[in-house]
């Protein structure tokens, strides 16, 4: 099986440059070869959220491109679905890969540095066509009707669950399928959202039950995937078709209150320990942009897996993406002293034992319907190495920060920034932008 993406085309050409100079800077997340989609409004106010494409440090306003007649018919149809819609990409997601690919190709031609009629026409209206990202407020890219969070990393489970279940850290079922639970779509927020320390029930040191602000706040480094066309209630999705259901990817921080989670999870699974906040990066890197970075999964114990029949793929199948992930952290004291962020972990998405197509198939295997804009979380992406822990629960010892403080769990004022980059020799690297969030103090409990 291979990720269902059309072959490489002109939009992936590493020699092409953009007339937007910031897109050509080495290390830029959003070069001409990326062109992720998002929803934005002007920080000055007065406009409704609208769809745009990231290029360098700017945003191409799709409504302006459409109204100026800059797009060919197929791309115009795709842009029309979102440029005058309800401030989301759902309508474009529903149209499938052909629509997003047509739009991507057209925007690539508009923003290319070549002296073509399309590029020249775009440059002529650059003042209205482009918006500085610094002058934009980013919104969620989709109306998320459903949010499923998976647990796929064996390393994550061995480290985190091994502390509470040392004799049996890895559930037997993980050998046969990825595990998941239905999370809370209403509390998914875009990058920059401040996470209020949640209240919840937990076990006090003396063994009694208590209800209080969490004392074990944690992050989880994940990749999110937005569903495209979707499926009807009652219908399963074949593995050969599952790849076409993935519209694009983002970064996802699955915020977790470990003390609440551990006390409440049996027998029904996570609830208050997970539902208070999930933060995603605002740009959706569509799968066509990731075509150069398709690869086989690289989990070091692949022979240990025994997938159920509906999840079986041939060894070496090209069904995932080679993404380098990292988490950077600052404390309030570090920022006050001007200290650089500390990279606290680094991992590789391709090292997950289960792929996104397998997650999609498993989600729909009982006939559960998929809808455009639904969000799937990959689960914590952890590697085998000691510096590849995907959350604080995995760390063997408290984290030491440059300001001299330590962290077993996150403190008020701590800020996490998740990053992701796709790299391959012979191609221009692309990034996902930042997934940023800061811990805010718990709020006083309401008094009647």
């Amino acid at each position: 099986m291979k990720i269902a993406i059309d072959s490489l085309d002109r939009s992936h050409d590493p020699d092409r440059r953009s007339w937007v100079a910031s897109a050509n800077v080495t290390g830029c997340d959003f070069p001409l070869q990326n062109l992720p989609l998002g929803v934005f409004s002007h920080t000055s106010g007065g406009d409704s959220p609208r769809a745009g494409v990231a290029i360098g440090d700017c945003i191409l306003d799709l409504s302006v491109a459409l109204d100026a007649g800059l797009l060919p018919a197929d791309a115009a149809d795709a842009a029309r679905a979102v440029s005058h819609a309800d401030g989301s990409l759902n309508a474009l997601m529903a149209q499938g890969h052909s629509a997003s690919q047509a739009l991507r190709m057209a925007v690539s031609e508009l923003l290319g540095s070549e002296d073509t009629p399309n590029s020249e026409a775009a440059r002529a209206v650059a003042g209205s066509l482009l918006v500085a990202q610094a002058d934009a407020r980013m919104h969620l890219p989709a109306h998320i009707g459903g949010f499923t969070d998976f647990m796929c990393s064996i390393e994550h489970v061995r480290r985190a669950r091994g502390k509470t279940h040392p004799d049996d850290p890895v559930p037997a079922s993980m050998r046969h399928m990825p595990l998941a639970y239905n999370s809370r779509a209403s509390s998914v927020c875009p990058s920059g959202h401040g996470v209020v320390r949640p209240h919840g029930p937990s076990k006090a040191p003396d063994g009694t039950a208590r209800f209080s602000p969490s004392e074990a706040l944690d992050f989880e480094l994940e990749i999110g995937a937005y569903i495209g066309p979707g499926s009807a209630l009652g219908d399963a999705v074949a593995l050969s078709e599952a790849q076409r259901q993935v519209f694009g990817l983002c970064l996802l921080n699955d915020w977790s209150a470990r003390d609440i989670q551990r006390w409440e999870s049996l027998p029904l699974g996570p609830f208050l320990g997970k539902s208070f906040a999930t933060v995603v990066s605002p740009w959706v890197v569509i799968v066509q942009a990731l075509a150069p970075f398709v690869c086989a999964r690289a989990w070091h114990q692949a022979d240990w897996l025994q997938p159920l029949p509906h999840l079986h793929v041939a060894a070496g199948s090209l069904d995932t993406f080679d993404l380098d992930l990292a988490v950077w952290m600052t404390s309030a004291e570090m920022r006050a002293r001007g200290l650089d962020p500390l990279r606290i972990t680094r991992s590789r998405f391709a090292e997950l034992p289960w792929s996104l197509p397998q997650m999609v198939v498993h989600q729909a295997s009982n006939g559960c319907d998929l809808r455009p804009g639904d969000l799937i979380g990959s689960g914590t992406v952890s590697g085998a190495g000691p510096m590849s822990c995907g959350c604080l629960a995995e760390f063997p010892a408290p984290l030491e920060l440059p300001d001299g403080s330590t962290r077993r769990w996150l403190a008020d004022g701590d800020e996490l920034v998740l990053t992701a980059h796709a790299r391959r020799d012979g191609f221009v690297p692309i990034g996902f932008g930042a997934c940023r969030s800061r811990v805010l103090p718990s709020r006083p409990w309401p008094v009647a």
Side-chain angles (χ1 to χ4, degrees):
M1 186 184 71
K2 185 181 186 297
I3 289 283
I5 301 175
D6 293 337
S7 59
L8 300 182
D9 55 43
R10 175 175 161 79
S11 70
H12 304 105
D13 185 345
D15 293 326
R16 294 187 67 215
R17 296 293 181 266
S18 173
W19 53 264
V20 180
S22 59
N24 305 321
V25 176
T26 301
C28 171
D29 275 1
F30 307 128
L32 184 63
Q33 290 75 10
N34 192 350
L35 305 178
L37 292 159
V39 173
F40 75 99
S41 59
H42 293 81
T43 55
S44 58
D47 64 331
S48 57
R50 60 189 63 196
V53 179
I55 179 70
D57 59 6
C58 296
I59 302 171
L60 181 144
D61 189 328
L62 283 174
S63 293
V64 174
L66 183 62
D67 293 342
L70 297 177
L71 301 172
D74 54 354
D77 288 342
R80 196 171 290 113
V82 293
S83 61
H84 299 302
D86 56 356
S88 78
L89 302 178
N90 292 61
L92 178 60
M93 293 173 172
Q95 293 183 12
H97 287 185
S98 60
S100 56
Q101 173 68 351
L103 182 59
R104 169 183 163 79
M105 290 297 296
V107 172
S108 177
E109 293 303 315
L110 290 180
L111 294 173
S113 61
E114 303 87 358
D115 292 327
T116 64
N118 288 342
S119 179
E120 291 175 359
R123 284 183 241 198
V125 294
S128 58
L129 183 65
L130 298 182
V131 177
Q133 290 189 31
D135 296 330
R137 176 191 173 196
M138 299 305 300
H139 302 265
L140 283 178
H143 296 309
I144 302 170
F147 170 30
T148 301
D149 197 27
F150 277 83
M151 184 169 69
C152 296
S153 171
I154 305 299
E155 279 74 22
H156 166 65
V157 176
R158 283 174 178 160
R159 293 190 190 115
R161 195 169 183 268
K163 296 177 180 179
T164 55
H165 299 75
D167 296 330
D168 183 28
V170 181
S173 55
M174 285 197 75
R175 193 171 190 176
H176 307 287
M177 61 187 183
L179 304 186
Y181 69 98
N182 288 311
S183 195
R184 185 72 180 175
S186 66
S187 54
V188 178
C189 304
S191 176
H193 176 78
V195 176
V196 176
R197 184 176 296 273
H199 288 77
S202 63
K203 185 178 181 180
D206 63 2
T208 60
R210 65 180 178 184
F211 186 88
S212 62
S214 172
E215 296 179 358
L217 194 59
D218 201 356
F219 71 92
E220 286 189 355
L221 171 61
E222 301 191 22
I223 287 292
Y226 288 97
I227 292 296
S231 61
L233 184 65
D235 289 348
V237 175
L239 198 52
S240 59
E241 293 298 317
Q243 313 95 310
R244 303 183 189 279
Q245 291 289 347
V246 179
F247 175 82
L249 308 186
C250 66
L251 281 157
L252 187 152
N253 188 344
D254 179 32
W255 284 85
S256 305
R258 300 300 185 191
D259 45 356
I260 300 172
Q261 178 186 359
R262 287 170 177 164
W263 198 72
E264 72 175 359
S265 288
L266 291 177
L268 292 181
F271 182 46
L272 299 178
K274 290 281 193 177
S275 61
F276 60 95
T278 300
V279 178
V280 295
S281 54
W283 294 106
V284 183
V285 179
I286 64 174
V287 292
Q288 290 88 351
L290 292 167
F293 313 104
V294 171
C295 67
R297 278 170 283 155
W299 190 51
H300 63 105
Q301 291 183 313
D303 292 342
W304 181 81
L305 295 179
Q306 294 180 352
L308 291 170
H310 70 298
L311 300 174
H312 179 75
V313 296
S317 294
L318 304 178
D319 59 358
T320 192
F321 302 103
D322 200 358
L323 307 177
D324 290 326
L325 313 182
V327 178
W328 303 80
M329 179 176 175
T330 59
S331 65
E333 178 67 17
M334 288 173 65
R335 295 190 298 276
R337 290 166 54 182
L339 299 176
D340 291 336
L342 174 68
R343 189 179 70 190
I344 61 175
T345 192
R346 182 178 181 182
S347 62
R348 186 182 174 208
F349 184 61
E351 292 183 358
L352 278 185
W354 300 99
S355 69
L356 284 170
Q358 288 173 313
M359 295 179 220
V360 170
V361 167
H362 197 53
Q363 169 76 78
S365 61
N366 67 342
C368 171
D369 55 329
L370 303 174
R371 298 180 181 180
D374 281 357
L375 181 63
I376 286 180
S378 67
T380 308
V381 183
S382 304
M387 298 304 295
S388 298
C389 297
C391 62
L392 289 179
E394 298 180 35
F395 279 59
L399 181 66
E400 297 182 0
L401 299 182
D403 62 7
S405 63
T406 60
R407 293 288 188 276
R408 180 68 187 91
W409 305 109
L410 296 173
D412 293 349
D414 288 348
E415 184 173 86
L416 283 301
V417 178
L418 280 56
T419 62
H421 294 89
R423 298 183 178 92
R424 181 182 173 188
D425 289 345
F427 292 92
V428 175
I430 65 175
F432 281 49
C435 178
R436 182 187 307 270
S437 41
R438 186 177 298 182
V439 179
L440 303 180
S442 62
R443 295 175 181 169
W445 190 254
V447 177

